[in-house]
Amino acid sequence: MNPADVPGLPEGVADRLHEEGIEALYPPQAEAVNAGVTTGESVVASVPTASGKTLVAELAMLSAIRRGGKALYIVPLRALASEKKAEFERWEELDFTVGVSTGNYESSGEWLASRDIIVATSEKVDSLVRNDAPWIDQLTCVVADEVHLVDDRNRGPTLEVTLAKLRRINPGLQVVALSATVGNADEIAEWLDANLVDADWRPIDLRTGVHYGNAITFDDGSQREVPVDGKRQTPALVDDALVGDGDHGQGSSLVFVNSRRNAEAAAKRLGDVTSKRLTGEEMRELRELADEVEDVSDTETSTDLARAVRKGAAFHHAGLAPKHRELIEDAFRARLVKCVCATPTLAAGVNTPARRVVVRDWQRYDGEFGGMKPLDVLEVHQMMGRAGRPGLDPYGEAVLLAKDYDTRDELFERYVWAEPEAVQSKLAAEPALRTHLLATVASGFAHTRSGLLSFLDRTLYATQTDDPDYLAQKADTVLDYLERNDFLTREREDDDDVRLKATGLGHTVSRLYLDPMSAAEVVDGLAWGDENEREMRRRLDGVESDTDGSRTKETEAGGFQTASELVAGSERADESGRDGQDADESDRTYPTPLGLYHLVSRTPDMYELYLKSGDRERYTEECYEREAELLGRTPSEYSDTQFESWLSALKTARLLEDWANEVDEDRIAERYGVGPGDIRGKVDTATWLLGAAERIAGDRGFDAVAVREAKKRVEYGVRDELLDLAGVRNVGRKRARRLYEAGIETRADLRDADKSVVLGALRGRRKTAASILENVGRQDPSMDDVSADESTAQAVAEGTEAEESASGGGSDTESDQASLGDFG
Ligand code: ADP
């Protein structure tokens, strides 16, 4: 089918596609058109990776807009939102407008009302619905990308409920659901009242097989010799792809492993393979790329990544900073980086095809399972689907590894020939129901128990279950919980139905996008702090000033004090190498930042940092040292799981506290065994949760000032005295500290300061200095003809040895800070 023959498309679209080299639709695309995707029909397209799902979505959205509508594209990952937006923006030439919805969960994104196409994650869409975004009821077409993720334990229910809500708000809504090939696409289609396109066509041949001994055996029975020669299998396969295949030149490889550490170690080893196959020009370009990688953050992860990149290899996992990921993905697509070792996150959605995919690890540690667990077929197929770049490779090859003959057979059975699993709704899990039932009531989708149940009837869960009562029972348990914690009220009505009404707290929690259990934890913690404030202050002040020994008394609040509390305050000052700044704390705030960080870290909305070996002892000790700061009673050491999570929350809280005390990013990474991406993630989540806690504190009549301050400090990663400066766009934590040390302590100072001092403090970076002065509202921000004050430059250089580019103070400060607290 030629694009010009597609019914319903706006003028200019077919021509534009021709210009892009799209002469004919791929068969599954043509099938989708025949199923009515451009004439308003709902369609589920279950097709392999790289078979052009995005174009199906674009055809649907553009034709819907032509009919006077508005389209929403739901992405599974935040990182994909901007990628998709950039892709869709080429339609702006034809006057279609595109917007991506980011910003706080609480915002309603009114400006998006003027956009034709809106891109957002399912969480963000869910929050927009909860906050009555004015344009939601104007949507006529919704695309759900990677809809098979409804199966995901954590995030699936949100996508499921969001689609149900959107369909409820807009009864004629066209839903286009794009899915990997799954076992039960027909059920998804039934749920969405959609036509089904179920194809296994691929634009490029994919050969899948298992490497064992000295050869790969493919699914069609053919073999390719890849001798190992005493090497390990993976290096042999990566090298073999690089040597190429007769006329087809070099091919790059994507190696999937099961942990971050393995990804890093494999990249290091495979660098020795790739480095031997580089041209001089490539080496030069890779050196430049490595410098850019190193500039992203001053952590060990950054250094290790740069080292691998110099040799033509890289690793890719969730611990990388977003900028790292972008650099690596781009360089891999440009064929400069020859081999990427990745955790399965890369298999999800990111467009990084390679000639050869090596699925090195097909088992992964699973805590709930209690050991190594084989990956799902769907997941392995998604990884394998990354093989073969249309137009660039003659074919794609995806290979599993076997050490013995039996494993080879097992892998063929288990993955190569296996059908992917059926997608199963995870809605009945309690955490999901807790959140979604409250939101459904609070945002007016249901006012009674029966209304709630009939809403649930529109979910995939209802389509799949053969026990309709089960969900009703679960719902009642969750309603009990929500009522007990003051999120909603229940009143029996005459007709035996039950009226449901969200309380003030319930509304706040729903709009803030909190898990009700997180909110309950925060309410309890703040109430506990309020009740025990005098006692805790006494203990804390005792730490500072009381030397008569009375602090060793057992306190009413439980726990006991230890002499080590004496050092708690001064130790914090030591941490950042800036002694004495915390010395005068007689009027210290209560709750303390650490107490608040601990409180939000123990909510289910904060992913835990695991305790590693030695951590239990370390944090047990810290727990008793700083017990007076924690907002709640420390669980007994013998209540194993409770105490354990209390400690891992303390570990997270200490990370946040270090960040807010200006400890360098690399030290934090090392101390807590995390990557820069993790630090950023924790900081974002804490900022969001503390913002929510601030609101809850205000609503409930607790003092919100301490919460606000703790939030600001973690948001900017600075101590109190820098809060004013660090809030200026482009300043960030490191530059704020340098300016402060040069005597510029406030925004007002910055507006009046001698420009040469500003320039000296900013290490002679003219552009940065000018933009900062502009952002702070200085009349004449230009830095032309200004020379840096030498003594300032020197003093600042001695004061801080960290690099300009450190996280929070580097060139992407602006975007970092703009995105804080944003999960959409
Ligand atoms: P996926 O199904 O994995 O989402 P994409 O939509 O990213 O796949 O498409 C993969 C590539 O195929 C893209 O580069 C896209 O431009 C290209 N493509 C899509 N449809 C066609 C077509 N009909 N003809 C040629 N190239 C196409």
Side-chain angles (χ1 to χ4, degrees), residues 143-166:
V143 180
D145 194 2
E146 313 259 356
V147 76
H148 55 270
L149 292 174
V150 289
D151 192 83
D152 184 277
R153 228 181 316 175
N154 298 313
R155 305 185 50 213
T158 302
L159 177 59
E160 186 176 340
V161 169
T162 300
L163 285 174
K165 282 186 184 166
L166 292 173

Side-chain angles (χ1 to χ4, degrees), residues 66-238:
R66 196 194 116 179
R67 292 192 300 274
K70 189 180 183 71
L72 171 67
Y73 188 100
I74 304 179
V75 286
L77 295 172
R78 204 162 129 197
L80 283 175
S82 35
E83 195 179 292
K84 286 294 167 195
K85 173 178 174 255
E87 211 171 332
F88 299 153
E89 258 165 0
R90 68 191 201 286
W91 300 111
E92 295 201 331
E93 267 176 42
L94 299 179
D95 287 338
F96 294 99
T97 52
V98 184
V100 55
S101 175
T102 54
N104 292 329
Y105 270 147
E106 222 187 328
S107 72
S108 64
E110 272 165 49
W111 65 278
L112 290 165
S114 65
R115 302 295 143 141
D116 298 317
I117 298 176
I118 296 163
V119 183
T121 59
S122 43
E123 285 75 15
K124 183 65 200 182
V125 178
D126 186 11
S127 87
L128 287 165
V129 172
R130 295 183 190 196
N131 287 286
D132 303 322
W135 45 267
I136 289 280
D137 59 5
Q138 295 159 24
L139 293 172
T140 59
C141 173
V142 169
V143 180
D145 194 2
E146 313 259 356
V147 76
H148 55 270
L149 292 174
V150 289
D151 192 83
D152 184 277
R153 228 181 316 175
N154 298 313
R155 305 185 50 213
T158 302
L159 177 59
E160 186 176 340
V161 169
T162 300
L163 285 174
K165 282 186 184 166
L166 292 173
R167 296 179 69 211
R168 166 83 172 262
I169 298 171
N170 304 324
L173 186 70
Q174 176 188 19
V175 179
V176 178
L178 310 173
S179 169
T181 30
V182 296
N184 59 338
D186 53 336
E187 272 177 17
I188 301 180
E190 184 193 332
W191 164 45
L192 295 171
D193 299 311
N195 301 323
L196 176 63
V197 174
D198 195 354
D200 50 18
W201 181 91
R202 283 179 47 102
I204 175 165
D205 200 21
L206 174 65
R207 311 169 70 192
T208 54
V210 180
H211 183 266
Y212 160 63
N214 287 319
I216 311 173
T217 306
F218 287 107
D219 46 351
D220 59 4
S222 67
Q223 289 203 319
R224 177 183 170 93
E225 209 181 315
V226 183
V228 172
D229 293 338
K231 282 196 292 251
R232 296 184 188 218
Q233 287 167 288
T234 311
L237 286 161
V238 169

Side-chain angles (χ1 to χ4, degrees), residues 1-11 13-14 17 25 29-41 56 58-64 66-67 174:
M1 185 185 286
N2 186 304
D5 301 330
V6 175
L9 281 189
E11 208 165 314
V13 171
L17 290 175
L25 295 191
Q29 294 168 337
E31 257 189 75
V33 169
N34 289 333
V37 83
T38 57
T39 52
E41 295 289 324
V56 173
E58 289 179 308
L59 296 178
M61 295 193 294
L62 295 171
S63 54
R66 196 194 116 179
R67 292 192 300 274
Q174 176 188 19

Side-chain angles (χ1 to χ4, degrees), residues 562-591:
T562 64
S564 49
E565 279 177 341
L566 279 165
V567 295
S570 57
E571 186 190 279
R572 273 198 310 291
D574 286 339
E575 296 280 354
S576 67
R578 274 182 264 283
D579 289 322
Q581 290 188 19
D582 273 355
D584 179 20
E585 291 221 340
S586 51
D587 60 351
R588 69 192 299 164
T589 55
Y590 184 85

Side-chain angles (χ1 to χ4, degrees), residues 3 20-27 29 47-56 73 84 87 90 145-146 178 201 203 349 351 386 390:
E20 287 172 16
I22 297 186
E23 304 293 336
L25 295 191
Y26 287 156
Q29 294 168 337
V47 291
T49 325
S51 57
K53 287 192 282 283
T54 311
L55 185 61
V56 173
Y73 188 100
K84 286 294 167 195
E87 211 171 332
R90 68 191 201 286
D145 194 2
E146 313 259 356
L178 310 173
W201 181 91
N351 183 19
R386 296 276 148 218

Side-chain angles (χ1 to χ4, degrees), residues 41 174 190 202 337 376 435 496 527 598 677 719 729 733:
E41 295 289 324
Q174 176 188 19
E190 184 193 332
R202 283 179 47 102
V337 164
D376 286 346
T435 300
D496 238 22
H598 185 257
R719 289 161 175 269
R729 253 179 43 179
R733 67 201 297 246

